[in-house]
Amino acid sequence: MSRTGTERSEPLIFIVSGPGGVGKGTIVDALVRRDPRMWLSRSWTTRQRRPGEAETAYVFTDRDAFEQRIADGGFLEWTDFLGNYYGTPTPEPGAQADVVVLEIEVDGAQQVKALRPDARLIFVLPPSRDEQERRLRGRGDDPERVRARLRKAEDEEPIGLRLADHVVVNDELQSTIDEMLAIVESARREASRPAETKG
């Protein structure tokens, strides 16, 4: 299918990434509720579900099942992070979706950008390291995992900022969501323009 004025051969891909505790899960859930044309690719993980965490936050699975899906080529990207697997299944959006959202770690974002340079990365930052730590503790992570996440953030942020197409600071949730929806809508308008008018 050729790309013409109002049709695309495949959906736009938006990656939402950032350090642990920045609120990625809350943000992407709000995005897909607000915009029915956005489809969230639900990541798989082998980590245990946290107390109070929604069953739909991830596809929670075991290492054998995860490794079998790796062998079957069923992930767009995957990584081993702090002793657990995380992976993004190959997108299978419904017919109404024109934007696929991937909520993934920075390692995964690098893999996706290498495979799909057209994917747009929104890198989300906390307002401060202290606020990031408060959010991590507030969601029930044990102290050692909080420290590991904070150390990881120091390494990840320079990489994420270098890769990012857009950087958003999640200071106030509704403002963050509005800003990200505006970014997506701008990309839709750009993609729907006839090729000869682009640039």
Side-chain angles (χ1 to χ4, degrees), residues 70-131:
I70 292 173
D72 293 340
F75 288 113
L76 185 60
E77 60 80 27
W78 64 272
T79 189
D80 189 339
F81 183 72
L82 298 179
N84 289 299
Y85 285 135
Y86 294 81
T88 302
T90 304
E92 297 176 358
Q96 79 283 2
D98 67 351
V99 172
V100 171
V101 181
L102 311 178
E103 179 212 337
I104 54 181
E105 303 284 350
V106 172
D107 288 346
Q110 288 182 284
Q111 293 180 51
V112 174
K113 289 285 278 185
L115 289 170
R116 293 290 304 267
D118 59 313
R120 299 174 188 233
L121 172 59
I122 302 177
F123 193 67
V124 185
L125 290 172
S128 68
R129 194 69 72 212
D130 287 344
E131 177 62 15

Side-chain angles (χ1 to χ4, degrees), residues 9-43:
S9 59
E10 55 188 17
L12 296 169
I13 295 179
F14 271 87
I15 304 164
V16 177
S17 191
V22 78
K24 299 185 294 294
T26 301
I27 290 167
V28 297
D29 284 345
L31 289 175
V32 297
R33 283 198 304 271
R34 289 268 298 270
D35 188 337
R37 291 188 293 158
M38 298 178 74
W39 180 83
L40 175 61
S41 177
R42 193 70 63 182
S43 295

Side-chain angles (χ1 to χ4, degrees), residues 34-192:
R34 289 268 298 270
D35 188 337
R37 291 188 293 158
M38 298 178 74
W39 180 83
L40 175 61
S41 177
R42 193 70 63 182
S43 295
W44 284 37
T45 185
T46 58
R47 75 159 171 79
Q48 294 296 307
R49 187 161 63 99
R50 301 186 188 101
E53 186 174 25
E55 292 183 10
T56 56
Y58 286 90
V59 176
F60 294 97
T61 188
D62 58 34
R63 294 185 73 87
D64 287 345
F66 197 106
E67 289 172 353
Q68 183 59 56
R69 189 172 180 105
I70 292 173
D72 293 340
F75 288 113
L76 185 60
E77 60 80 27
W78 64 272
T79 189
D80 189 339
F81 183 72
L82 298 179
N84 289 299
Y85 285 135
Y86 294 81
T88 302
T90 304
E92 297 176 358
Q96 79 283 2
D98 67 351
V99 172
V100 171
V101 181
L102 311 178
E103 179 212 337
I104 54 181
E105 303 284 350
V106 172
D107 288 346
Q110 288 182 284
Q111 293 180 51
V112 174
K113 289 285 278 185
L115 289 170
R116 293 290 304 267
D118 59 313
R120 299 174 188 233
L121 172 59
I122 302 177
F123 193 67
V124 185
L125 290 172
S128 68
R129 194 69 72 212
D130 287 344
E131 177 62 15
Q132 181 189 3
E133 181 174 358
R134 188 191 69 79
R135 293 175 184 178
L136 286 167
R137 294 186 185 280
R139 73 185 192 182
D141 283 1
D142 65 71
E144 181 52 41
R145 185 163 288 270
V146 169
R147 288 191 290 271
R149 284 280 185 179
L150 293 173
R151 288 194 300 269
K152 186 75 171 173
E154 297 288 347
D155 296 331
E156 287 179 333
E157 286 185 12
I159 299 169
L161 290 170
R162 187 175 69 249
L163 289 172
D165 298 287
H166 309 275
V167 178
V168 175
V169 177
N170 184 22
D171 194 357
E172 197 281 316
L173 181 61
Q174 290 307 313
S175 295
T176 298
I177 293 164
D178 290 343
E179 182 176 355
M180 290 173 70
L181 286 171
I183 289 169
V184 170
E185 196 55 40
S186 176
R188 281 186 173 125
R189 288 195 300 270
E190 178 185 344
S192 66

